[in-house]
Amino acid sequence: MGKARWIWYPGDFEIWIGNRFNNRRTERGAMFPPFWKQDSHWPTVVFATTVKLEEPETVTIVSEGRFSLAVDGALQTHFDIPAGEHRLSVKVWNQVSPPTILVSGKTVNSDSTWLVTYEDKIWIDETGQAHGSGIYVPAASWWFDSPATPPSHYRLPTTPMRPVSREFISAGKTLYDFGRETFGYLHFKGLHGPGGFSIYYGESREEALDAKHCETLDTLQPCGKAEGKVASKAMRYVCVERSGRADFDELTLDHEYAPFDKGRSGSFSCNDDELNDIWKVSAYTLELTTREFFCDGIKRDRWVWSGDAIQSYLMNYYLHFDTECVKRTVRLLRGKDPVTAHVNTIMDYTFYWFISIADYYLYTGDTAFVSEMWPKMVTLMDYVLSRTNGNGMADGKPDDWIFVDWVDFPMHKRGSLSFEQILFWKALKTMAHFSVGCGSAAAHLPDYDSLADHIRQKTNGSLWNPDQHTYLHAIEDGTLNRQVTKFPNIFAILYDFVDEEEKPLIAEHVLLNPTVPPITTPYMRFYELEALCTMDMQTEVLRQMKNYWGGMLRLGATTFWEKYNPEEKGTEQLAMYGRPYGKSLCHSWGASPIYIIGKHFLGVRPTKPGYSEYEVRPSLGGLQWMKGDVPTPYGLIHVEMTAEEVRVKSDGGQGTLVVDGEKTALPPEELVVVRRECH
Amino acid sequence: MGKARWIWYPGDFEIWIGNRFNNRRTERGAMFPPFWKQDSHWPTVVFATTVKLEEPETVTIVSEGRFSLAVDGALQTHFDIPAGEHRLSVKVWNQVSPPTILVSGKTVNSDSTWLVTYEDKIWIDETGQAHGSGIYVPAASWWFDSPATPPSHYRLPTTPMRPVSREFISAGKTLYDFGRETFGYLHFKGLHGPGGFSIYYGESREEALDAKHCETLDTLQPCGKAEGKVASKAMRYVCVERSGRADFDELTLDHEYAPFDKGRSGSFSCNDDELNDIWKVSAYTLELTTREFFCDGIKRDRWVWSGDAIQSYLMNYYLHFDTECVKRTVRLLRGKDPVTAHVNTIMDYTFYWFISIADYYLYTGDTAFVSEMWPKMVTLMDYVLSRTNGNGMADGKPDDWIFVDWVDFPMHKRGSLSFEQILFWKALKTMAHFSVGCGSAAAHLPDYDSLADHIRQKTNGSLWNPDQHTYLHAIEDGTLNRQVTKFPNIFAILYDFVDEEEKPLIAEHVLLNPTVPPITTPYMRFYELEALCTMDMQTEVLRQMKNYWGGMLRLGATTFWEKYNPEEKGTEQLAMYGRPYGKSLCHSWGASPIYIIGKHFLGVRPTKPGYSEYEVRPSLGGLQWMKGDVPTPYGLIHVEMTAEEVRVKSDGGQGTLVVDGEKTALPPEELVVVRRECH
């Protein structure tokens, strides 16, 4: 064993901190928890290990929760371990936060080699012999390694930040502007005088000035204290209104952020300043929405949503490669058994959850995490399979939310949607893929591959229009709904649900067809642009990115939005859900250019798990030059490209550079330069 | 709505307080939680109701946890409900203890007419309309009705108690005797002087004086305080050893007890003083083991065990009729889904759990509780059915504990035990019985009746020896184990697994056969004596009771024991589990004479749920006279019997008195006297 670490039951840290995270949402002062099931950590767990000591050793045990130590099954009151081979087990009970321990001794230290169970299942046989038959799994740990850093004390770091301007609106009412979207705890210094403060937040100036309709607000009653902080909020602007003679000397923000390793982060620059800005604002958007978990947006929901998260993960693989945050988010989204609803109650979000694990594995090669999640993948898929219709297709039950996307046109969401079947198929393929490696339990599992084939066959048989090269919308009550939307057709391309030769025809008939309603969320634009990139349409994608994301920048965006419809005018752009400031202006799914640029312009992607093998297939898409870095488990892959040459250097993994159809090997840590014929 | 009550998600109070209860066990100072899964309450729940107000009303909401109120789906910051019909919902989050609320207004008050869910599952359809599709169940409540009595503050009451004697053992070492077994918190008054105290508890004098081997102990460091209390413990004796110059003026006990309604309690007296003592000591034993839950014994485990509990319930129906404690115990034993192990990890204990609900329903007629438990009955039976062997029989899997009983003779517990099959059959019959009334879900359920018939057929076909009128022990690895034990044969009689005419033959060949090993625990004697009573062998049962329970009294018992083998001598009687004081001397299953006397001597039993109809079939079993009361939902049934006459008066229900084969109607609240021919 190495250095002592705090250890806990895998997933329990996330479930516990996740409840705090999701329940921080407020709507005009009222607490607003999610409407899906919130789970709890196991209140009582047993940590166990076997040690072989050359000499007796006294260990120190620090815990969160009450605990007892047993050596070879016998309860101890002193922590002296005799020499020889012994089974140590520490049982900990904590209702308030996950039971955790930090065991440290000369050689005995707690870490992820320890096992843990929520049920040790001791039983006594007919001879009086005690047996333990609990299911033990590897204990979880992170960087927490001292008595001063128990896991439940974990908080994101903060740094002070000052407003860039303030504006006196009227008597006792001041508007502060932090210059761009930000997040943190307002910090009032030098409070004095009787009375209090009303605080109105705005992602826009209009919102902060609209006390009646702004989405978030606070009050502060100093009660004689010289300093005051309020709960964390998103804002660019904040309007503070004094009541009585209350006042303060200075207002700052404790900006809260997720730390990252700058030396191992993605980067991008090119000759096009607008695209550079798009990349930078995307990166900032993703940084703000990367917190204890990847959340949707920082102002309104602040919740962890699976459909949003799968995109954040993918962007993150091209920005900070924060794998811990991916794992935390995947664990929280899944929660605990029994499964009583789809992930976030949304059927598509269940499917994304499966697919995100396949993505995670491809980018990281982390088999331990897949093994940890596998039993929960099985029980979630059991839930899905228990709810299919007579044809085996994934229809929404009356209590399922079928989301697909926010759309401005009428679209029924009941029956067998082709969109849902394609995601279901991909989820089944993910199960089939991992079921090969995930051990003996597989013998009792459904044949996921056959189920997937069945879904493809049924979908192609009933929802595919070969003349129009189009997946039609749905079968509802036995009737084919012939509506054409981009959604299923995008995913048919992306997930290889159709043959290669069919893809350009689908693109032509649907994706690039102006009579098909356009997508108005960056959420689905993510997939749309990627689908086009897979067909080498980077020039078209660049045009669309500059148009769409550039459009938000031209309207003054400092982070990218939940939804953007270029047709809307003025403050219409702020409204959503029937509320004047309902729209989130810092939404993770707005940050997709990071992913599109990293994967399809710089052209870097793993071809074997964890970048042990990878491909660099750069594409200027009309740019004169570009350069950038993509993070990998080995460090970075640096790519530079002009019309004349491509230069690549990676910190590890076996790469293949594909330029103008020519392949060149990319050995680790070696600069490879490929000269191009004039293009 | 009536008076405002605190409300919570059903079962969560029990699960939360149950963890505290079960985790109070210590072994010589070390915490000793159970080795089965401990669950948590739902941390976030939504309480909802619909109100119709003639005028606007402001409500007060007190909660355990952070909460928000929504009226017709809109979050509120003030609690003014407008006139008209409105849907109120209160979402509460509490990680530490169950989320609870007390809502009070002029007409709007929280109570069990409110509904509650752990998942409100709001979803938004294609028109932007929000829908809620969570599964709501009736909220739970109890007597907690004021802001000063939130459910998490619940504690049993205490009353001061003084030792009856003290004895100076040696310098600084004093032994206190409370005169009989008791339970509570030692309370040191007038503490003074530097130093501290070591405290050794004993159910026997020997145990309290044996600092090295007593089962429970404490230390007290006054640290300058004038009073000190230690954690609750069981004891008759306590030995206090001073260190340094520490001393105190007085030692008392805060005796902790479960309150009960004396005016609605069972009673018994007769001409036989020994039997009167047996009844009284049984009652006291059950009172001590009736706490927040029915526990096994108060000294050692202090845990809630299903096999022990089902007997406590039955005794309780003849003593204090504390139905709340029955419900609490049933809920805690079941815990939450998913089912990952048998109840207490013991297969027989799972079966008893089902059967205890049938008993509860018969004695109380409480359909609401059966409805509450039904979904959990279904999922627990699903678990059982998922683990049967190829023949559909309930074999123990390697990780199941097969308990049956503590026995002093060799007895294999693997394979298909006839004992387990008979319990399984009875559990299936319970499921079949309730599945008729428990609603539409029943359509998707297994056919429990057919499964039960199948088990009976298989058991009779392979484990019944018609020549010996005996169920043989087991089939193990395809081989019949021909061992004969009383266990399956007792239950075959009790549960009507065999025909009436077979019962006396089984009794003769097994129960009364001196070559079959005797039962040495009051646990199985409970069933053995009841089986004999069902065959009108009260005279024999009285002889055995006086012999067995009287035997413990003659050894000085002030409460009845976990195990009693008349063959053992002196301090051998204190030992168990290889420990000199391992045996519990106050064990609930020792109190069975209450049940045997109430049901089979006074002869009172419900024949329709909740005593709406009942039978009184008194039997003197050789006594000259007896009289007593049996509690029912209506009040009491009073029975007096001599050789000459029987007198019965009940507070409600339609009774039938059966004396010497003659039936007489027992109308409510009417004294009925039946004169007997000389017997």
Side-chain angles (χ1 to χ4, degrees), chain A residues 16 19-20 23 27-44 66-68 75-77 91 93 95-96 118-124 126 133 337-338 340-341 345 383 398-401 406 411-414, chain B residues 16 19-20 23 27-44 66-68 75-77 91 93 95-96 118-124 126 133 337-338 340-341 345 383 398-401 406 411-414:
Chain A
W16 176 77
N19 289 350
R20 298 207 313 186
N23 292 352
E27 186 176 289
R28 296 190 59 78
M31 180 184 68
F32 194 164
F35 38 78
W36 51 82
K37 173 172 69 109
Q38 296 200 312
D39 295 298
S40 273
H41 56 276
W42 294 117
T44 311
R66 287 182 54 204
F67 75 92
S68 56
L75 283 170
Q76 308 294 310
T77 44
K91 186 170 270 202
W93 169 43
Q95 197 73 52
V96 178
Y118 55 83
E119 186 167 48
D120 45 351
K121 266 197 184 182
I122 308 287
W123 57 273
I124 298 169
E126 54 269 24
S133 60
D337 284 335
T340 58
T345 77
Y383 177 80
D399 58 336
D400 292 336
W401 185 356
W406 297 122
M411 184 172 97
H412 271 221
K413 294 181 178 175
R414 294 284 140 184
Chain B
W16 176 77
N19 290 350
R20 298 205 311 185
N23 293 353
E27 186 176 290
R28 295 190 58 81
M31 180 183 66
F32 194 164
F35 37 78
W36 51 81
K37 173 170 69 104
Q38 295 200 312
D39 295 297
S40 272
H41 56 276
W42 294 116
T44 310
R66 287 183 54 206
F67 75 93
S68 58
L75 284 170
Q76 308 294 310
T77 44
K91 187 171 270 200
W93 169 44
Q95 197 73 53
V96 178
Y118 56 84
E119 185 168 49
D120 45 352
K121 268 197 183 182
I122 307 288
W123 58 273
I124 298 168
E126 53 271 22
S133 59
D337 284 334
T340 58
T345 78
Y383 177 81
D399 59 336
D400 294 334
W401 186 357
W406 297 122
M411 184 172 97
H412 271 222
K413 294 181 179 179
R414 294 284 140 182

Side-chain angles (χ1 to χ4, degrees), chain A residues 249-268:
Chain A
D249 298 335
E250 194 187 2
L251 176 64
T252 60
L253 182 76
D254 292 349
H255 170 57
E256 191 191 64
Y257 63 98
F260 55 85
D261 180 354
K262 280 203 169 131
R264 263 189 61 184
S265 286
S267 70
F268 178 76

Side-chain angles (χ1 to χ4, degrees), chain A residues 20-87:
Chain A
R20 298 207 313 186
F21 186 84
N22 279 330
N23 292 352
R24 279 184 199 136
R25 175 175 183 176
T26 56
E27 186 176 289
R28 296 190 59 78
M31 180 184 68
F32 194 164
F35 38 78
W36 51 82
K37 173 172 69 109
Q38 296 200 312
D39 295 298
S40 273
H41 56 276
W42 294 117
T44 311
V45 302
V46 186
F47 299 97
T49 195
T50 299
V51 298
K52 253 187 184 166
L53 300 187
E54 291 183 7
E55 50 187 55
E57 182 170 333
T58 300
V59 295
T60 304
I61 305 179
V62 191
S63 79
E64 294 185 288
R66 287 182 54 204
F67 75 92
S68 56
L69 167 70
V71 176
D72 303 324
L75 283 170
Q76 308 294 310
T77 44
H78 297 281
F79 306 149
D80 310 313
I81 321 294
E85 184 170 318
H86 301 286
R87 173 87 171 171

Side-chain angles (χ1 to χ4, degrees), chain A residues 223-271:
Chain A
C223 302
K225 289 195 181 126
E227 294 207 13
K229 282 191 202 183
V230 288
S232 64
K233 294 286 186 313
M235 73 202 81
R236 170 174 170 173
Y237 299 91
V238 61
C239 181
V240 180
E241 237 184 295
R242 289 178 279 138
S243 69
R245 283 176 292 119
D247 208 348
F248 52 87
D249 298 335
E250 194 187 2
L251 176 64
T252 60
L253 182 76
D254 292 349
H255 170 57
E256 191 191 64
Y257 63 98
F260 55 85
D261 180 354
K262 280 203 169 131
R264 263 189 61 184
S265 286
S267 70
F268 178 76
S269 60
C270 68
N271 62 293

Side-chain angles (χ1 to χ4, degrees), chain B residues 81 85 193 197 216 219 263 409 467 508 524 621 661:
Chain B
I81 321 295
E85 185 170 318
F197 306 92
T216 57
T219 57
F409 53 87
D467 304 325
E508 182 195 330
M524 279 291 143

Side-chain angles (χ1 to χ4, degrees), chain B residues 586-602:
Chain B
C586 175
H587 220 70
S588 60
W589 71 31
S592 54
I594 299 167
Y595 174 69
I596 297 294
I597 290 171
K599 187 169 175 193
H600 295 292
F601 284 75
L602 296 175

